[in-house]
Amino acid sequence: MSTVEQTPMEQPTAQQGQARHSAAQQQETTREIPAYQGGAAFIGQVTTRPPGPPRVGPPEVRRDTRTIRRTDIVAAFGALVAAAALTGVLFDQIAPFSGVVGFIAIAYPLFLAIYALLVSLEESALTVRDKVVSAVVHSTAVIAVGALGAIIFYPIWMGWDALWKSNFYTEDMADAGTLDPLELGGILHAIVGTLEQISIALVITVPLGLATAVFLNETRGVFTRLVRTVVEAMTALPSIVAGLFVYASLILLLGFQRSGFAAGTAISIMMLPIMIRAADVVLRLVPSSLREASLALGTGQLRTVWHVVLPTARSGLTTSVLLATARGVGETSPVLIAAGFTPYLNANPFVDAQVSLPLATYQMVGSSEETMQTRAFGAATVLIVLVLVLFVLARVLGGRGAGALSNGQLRRRARASARDRERYIATAAARSGPQPADRSDLPPAARSDFPPADQQHPNPEQGVLP
């Protein structure tokens, strides 16, 4: 039996132990671990590197990701008050400025400068730039929304007295003069004229503009580039030129009267390039894979456009119609040239003069009488409401996404599926031929005269079709 000689080992001191521990940490350690790949087992090696040197400096502070803090609100409010006060001093004592526009033009740069100064007292330069840009973006949005609100609510405020009168919507200006009170006269003739003229313009613009947009997207060639160039040039066409063109061609050359139809034709010339360009952009967004899938199934180009491309772009096409309508509903000079002006109600758009809401507003606001100006602002408010109603109707009718069906379309699809099912069943029954007769009530001798059921209808692969 062998013995192992044991030699006494010296006990390490605390300093030696810490040094050995540090040296061990600074060395790479490699250990073997079992691993599997492709169903086979093998021994892999994992190398562990020592940790890096400790971080020197103050601990990292977690960044606050909130967009708006209480200090930001206080700084913005204080900068706004200080800018308004300094601008007031400049207006009264130093600079000979006046007006709201001049006040805002001076107060806004002062507000940004003071706000940047207040933020720099607590934040770094990068944060100051970020806050100043954020203030510019938010203030621009507030100014845009404020301008839109002023455009909408100012006519309502100025025409409030006329909007509450029932006769304002049920009478024309045939029996009312400039000195008559608001209880007499109204804008019925202008409402009827606007609806008829914009309807005529839409009847002309929508099919022609949609067909042109489809042509520009589905064809290639020199003529396509020519049409696209002409459409882009017509976008900047002055409205009075469209009115003069209709007056020279439709009224002087062809002998039509100055009427609502002529005015609607002139308005359609202004709406057509907007409709074509907007629809062209929308149709370009339809994925080409949908067209390719339809064509691969054997569908022609016409059916592909009608059943695949247009339904996919329906929501965007509705927006293009809205843009074109907004362009044409506010036209004044084409209506004045092509239809004239009349204070009487004319419901026939093909005979005699007819007026629209923009033209009636233009004529009334030029009067020096306060009642006529009130009627003008009331007519402008009615025009805004009319555009809003058209926008809502267009969104309701065409706001569904691609592939979404209405309730009526779902019912028609269910009925068509039921008819297809009945047709398929009838076709399958006709192809299977007559069914074998029931031979259970025949005597055994008579049953042998009939071939077995599996031999009554030969296999079509043998050359005999059922």
Side-chain angles (χ1 to χ4, degrees), residues 108-126:
Y108 187 69
L110 289 176
F111 163 74
L112 294 179
I114 298 174
Y115 180 70
L117 178 61
L118 293 178
V119 173
S120 64
L121 298 177
E122 297 181 355
E123 305 290 348
S124 61
L126 179 62

Side-chain angles (χ1 to χ4, degrees), residues 236-305:
L237 182 69
S239 58
I240 193 171
V241 175
L244 291 174
F245 172 77
V246 170
Y247 182 80
S249 60
L250 202 63
I251 297 175
L252 297 181
L253 186 61
L254 299 179
F256 281 84
Q257 297 184 13
R258 298 180 67 184
S259 59
F261 174 74
T265 306
I267 293 173
S268 66
I269 296 177
M270 303 304 303
M271 296 169 54
L272 189 59
I274 305 298
M275 174 70 189
I276 294 174
R277 293 197 63 182
D280 183 22
V281 173
V282 170
L283 293 178
R284 288 183 187 180
L285 299 178
V286 177
S288 59
S289 58
L290 297 179
R291 295 186 177 92
E292 295 170 357
S294 177
L295 296 174
L297 293 175
T299 308
Q301 187 177 15
L302 178 60
R303 293 179 64 87
T304 298
V305 171

Side-chain angles (χ1 to χ4, degrees), residues 89-108:
V89 172
L90 291 176
F91 263 63
D92 292 338
Q93 304 296 333
I94 302 176
F97 298 132
S98 63
V100 179
V101 178
F103 188 90
I104 296 176
I106 296 177
Y108 187 69

Side-chain angles (χ1 to χ4, degrees), residues 136-206:
V136 171
V137 172
H138 286 82
S139 59
T140 304
V142 170
I143 293 174
V145 174
L148 179 62
I151 293 173
I152 295 175
F153 290 105
Y154 183 75
I156 297 176
W157 175 264
M158 297 298 295
W160 186 259
D161 295 336
L163 294 174
W164 283 100
K165 309 295 182 182
S166 60
N167 60 284
F168 187 69
Y169 309 99
T170 58
E171 298 179 4
D172 55 15
M173 294 297 295
D175 299 329
T178 57
L179 300 178
D180 291 328
L182 296 176
E183 284 75 14
L184 295 177
I187 58 170
L188 178 63
H189 59 306
I191 296 175
V192 173
T194 298
L195 292 177
E196 291 182 351
Q197 292 169 15
I198 201 65
S199 299
I200 293 172
L202 287 174
V203 169
I204 298 174
T205 301
V206 172

Side-chain angles (χ1 to χ4, degrees), residues 53 68 73 87 154 205 284 306 326 377 422 457 464:
I68 299 177
I73 298 176
T87 307
Y154 183 75
T205 301
R284 288 183 187 180
W306 184 259
F377 284 107
E422 297 296 334
H457 302 286
V464 181

Side-chain angles (χ1 to χ4, degrees), residues 387-406:
V387 173
L388 179 61
V389 170
L390 293 177
F391 176 82
V392 172
L393 288 178
R395 280 302 176 190
V396 170
L397 296 178
R400 295 187 301 272
L405 302 179
S406 62

